[in-house]
Amino acid sequence: MSTTPRRRAAKAIASPWLAAGARGDQREKKRQAVLQTAARLFNERGFHATSLDDIAERLHVSKPTLYYYVKSKDDILLECVRTALATMQQGIAEVRQQGGRALDQLRACMRSYAAIVMDDFGQCVIRIGEDPLPPPLRKELRRLKAGIDHEFRRLVTEGMAEGSLQPCDPKLAAFMLAGALSWIGRWYRPDGAMTPEQIADQGIALLLGGVLAPVPSPPSSAPRRRAPRKSTP
């Protein structure tokens, strides 16, 4: 029998560098943190009053660090807008895939739209708007908005065809519905008395059902029949 001692397996040294996939995941998480923090600051202070220094300070990083994740403040705003509109489009697509009556689809799309305009990115779209963006980016924003408007018009048109919506101008109806829902993003406060779900429920009910109380039916004007007289013996 050999008496030579067995060599112990060398203990692997843990690499301080993450694998490529993990590095990519970490970078994307940090990028999303930059965008969400920026969106909140834009909503709180306004776009022009917020600087990259402010965003870096809120994140506890240096300003040069931000440039690893974003190009400029304009780039941040556009990415915030893209995120919100892409989420809206995804929600509308999911509703369309589920099918059902146009009215039910319209309610579901309105609910999705309302929920998004109450989150950080959605509020950024509504409160900041497109004016701060340079013309090429403004054009892209309008293109994304047009796609959502098209879906609302389609559902209104289909709702009239199935008889669940009264006859109206689909373009005007889409503008009115989306405009009213968008305005929620201006006055909504997370610490308010109502939850986002309650706001969405009541807002949709008002937009689709109106605020007028049902008018009671007038009393019948038909002449009342007199009871026949009893004949006397």
Side-chain angles (χ1 to χ4, degrees):
M1 179 181 294
S2 173
T3 59
T4 304
R6 295 181 179 178
R7 294 183 178 179
R8 294 183 179 178
K11 187 177 181 180
I13 299 174
S15 173
W17 286 271
L18 297 173
R23 286 199 303 270
D25 291 342
Q26 287 296 317
R27 184 183 186 282
E28 182 57 28
K29 287 180 181 178
K30 292 176 181 178
R31 179 176 174 276
Q32 287 299 318
V34 170
L35 295 179
Q36 189 154 18
T37 299
R40 289 183 181 179
L41 285 170
F42 292 162
N43 294 334
E44 293 170 9
R45 306 179 183 181
F47 177 73
H48 294 295
T50 302
S51 66
L52 289 177
D53 289 317
D54 295 328
I55 299 169
E57 181 181 359
R58 180 71 64 91
L59 289 166
H60 306 294
V61 299
S62 65
K63 181 178 177 180
T65 301
L66 294 181
Y67 290 111
Y68 182 65
Y69 305 100
V70 293
K71 298 176 182 177
S72 64
K73 198 170 74 166
D74 286 345
D75 180 55
I76 291 176
L77 179 58
L78 180 62
E79 287 304 312
C80 291
V81 170
R82 280 176 175 160
T83 299
L85 295 181
T87 306
M88 290 178 186
Q89 290 174 325
Q90 180 181 354
I92 290 173
E94 290 174 354
V95 169
R96 189 172 189 177
Q97 289 177 356
Q98 293 174 0
R101 295 192 310 161
L103 177 59
D104 296 330
Q105 291 186 50
L106 180 60
R107 282 198 184 100
C109 287
M110 291 172 68
R111 184 176 302 280
S112 176
Y113 193 99
I116 293 167
V117 299
M118 286 185 276
D119 72 13
D120 293 325
F121 294 122
Q123 283 186 308
C124 189
V125 174
I126 304 305
R127 295 184 180 186
I128 307 302
E130 62 186 41
D131 291 340
L133 295 173
L137 302 185
R138 201 178 304 165
K139 184 177 181 180
E140 181 174 355
L141 172 58
R142 290 174 180 172
R143 179 183 61 80
L144 294 171
K145 286 183 175 180
I148 296 173
D149 174 67
H150 174 76
E151 289 300 317
F152 271 85
R153 294 190 200 186
R154 177 184 67 82
L155 290 172
V156 170
T157 301
E158 293 179 4
M160 288 190 294
E162 71 182 14
S164 60
L165 295 178
Q166 64 179 351
C168 61
D169 184 310
K171 179 179 179 180
L172 179 60
F175 281 165
M176 294 294 291
L177 293 176
L181 293 173
S182 295
W183 203 254
I184 296 173
R186 289 190 173 273
W187 54 257
Y188 167 73
R189 294 293 181 273
D191 57 351
M194 299 176 66
T195 66
E197 292 76 15
Q198 291 172 330
I199 292 173
D201 287 342
Q202 294 195 33
I204 293 170
L206 288 170
L207 288 171
L208 294 181
V211 295
L212 295 178
V215 179
S217 302
S220 176
S221 58
R224 296 178 62 184
R225 295 182 180 181
R226 294 182 179 180
R229 293 182 179 180
K230 294 181 179 181
S231 57
T232 55

